[in-house]
Amino acid sequence: MIIRIFILILSAAVIASCDNSVQQRPSPETNIQLSASPNSQAQPEYSELYRPQFHFTPKAMWMNDPNGMVYYDGVYHLFFQQNPTESTWGDIHWGHAVSKDLVHWEQQPPALTPDNLGLIFSGSAVVDANNTSGFGADGKIPLVALYTSHSMEKEQQGATDVENQSLAFSLDNGVTWTKYQNNPVLKNPGTRDFRDPKVSWYEPAKKWIAVLAVGDHVEFYSSPNLKDWTKESEFGKTSGSHGGVWECPDLVELDSNGQKKWVLFVSINPGAPNGGSATQYFVGDFDGKNFQTSETETKWIDYGTDNYAGVTWSNTANRRIFLGWMSNWNYARDVPTSPWRSAMTVPRELSLKMVGSKYFVAAEPVAEMGKLSVNPSVLENLKVAGGYHLSEKVDNSSGRFRLKFTVPQIADWSIILSNSVGEQIIVGYDQASNNYYLDRSKSGKTDFENSFARAAIKAPRIAAQNSMKVDLLVDSASLELFADDGLTALTGIFFPTQTLRSIEIKSSSEIVIPKLEFSHVESIWKK
Ligand code: FRU
């Protein structure tokens, strides 16, 4: 243990002194503290204070990015950046969880453990149905993962070739994984940041495409067999947001009324619209070699503070299902949860929509989430002027709910969630600025990081129609707003010391909500 702590202190010190490192990593004090809390041992699993009840969280210890998301043989696999022994970043493995319905998850033993090439950083997995890799055996189809091997040793030596891409495969439907003996397969070309490969099959040229984050841009590589990679092109040095390093890209094709476009997602930290980490996207064209876009504005898949490193599942036929890490590098290591740290967002279905002459990607909770919504209440012609106390009409004793309604005009409104000790969350729309917003300044425990309690987190309204559709998902420690059929998404986490049972809807002008649907959201962990 003492040796372990010493190594953590040493690596934290080295990381802190290295400008180019992945992101600001924890201070050694934080490393040692939380995972050892004796209280955490006493709590029954998944029922601790702040434990999300319908979002995936690891039972214990640290988690960041979703990785290797692949659907195969009726099972959704979710791998994730995991530290299996501490509740802060370090010693990164690929953790693993599986689900048959995208809603209920079962955590599995770690799938990939660090080796002499380094830690197991982010990456992706595909179903190699034609056995292009040759990893298949006895007629078994291989699942193949391409991930970044990140050498802490080289990082500490100040080397450039810290990050290389490696392969692993599974012949038992993702249960166990074998690393390829000739790793790494895609060697560092001489650049410090070279990571997070996302692989997909490009049917027109019958080849694999990998998109990687390379500092201030992405690079596209192609391969016939997942082992031999050829650089095709670069994109992004002069496009999009550049407030920080680019990470975790994804390239997907989406269809808007028969018009197919390619969407490139790129996470960035820092440089997000509300500070710290977020995911931007570009809508354009891809020909198997180059990605091009004529867009000039920067678009974000979620304007909130807590949706990072999101990518899509592979092998889901025509569905594009996206999931992000529900945190922010500004404070991920400091959030007051124990014995685990971090949750994922709910899985979101992506669609491409046109607003005026521009394409936007909309993100909405997958339909499967609907099965958790129980005890629905429907209120009709609800008059809101001043305040309407919704929680007097519906049962919100759990504090977990889904609320859907349409505001039939453009007007200010807000929803205030509060508890008896005066803690509150406000989510709403401000007509003057045309922004949705989230105010978590009085949301309970906020003092673990300076910027956390900052007032309004803003998300521009993108839709153009004269009514506003609201879909709000609230869990024990998070809120996800999907406005206007997901054209604007805003995700934020918070830590009230007591359940936020009171729900009040307010508006400055008189509005009449034709139909409001409220339902309790069941826990995915209940036995
Ligand atoms: C994004 C990221 C990735 C990297 C991983 C390391 O949050 O920095 O770029 O692979 O986390 O845990």
Side-chain angles (χ1 to χ4, degrees), residues 4 6 10 12 39 57 111 117 163 168 173 189 201 205 210 259 265 313 322 339 354 375 380 383 451 462 491:
R4 182 170 177 75
F6 177 72
L10 192 69
N39 274 344
T57 50
L117 293 174
E163 299 184 330
N173 297 359
W201 178 250
Q259 181 67 47
F265 293 95
W313 259 276
F322 179 98
M354 274 210 116
N375 302 338
E380 285 177 347
K383 283 198 189 70
S451 71
I462 289 160
T491 300

Side-chain angles (χ1 to χ4, degrees), residues 22-23 25 62 64-65 67 81 89 92 120-123 148 163 195-196 213 246-248 308-309 325 329:
V22 183
Q23 60 268 311
R25 301 295 192 206
W62 171 265
N64 58 293
D65 316 355
N67 296 145
Q81 293 285 281
W89 191 93
I92 292 294
I120 315 294
F121 269 24
S122 289
T148 301
E163 299 184 330
R195 60 176 174 271
D196 307 340
W246 283 23
E247 301 186 310
C248 301
Y308 192 60
W325 173 46
W329 281 116

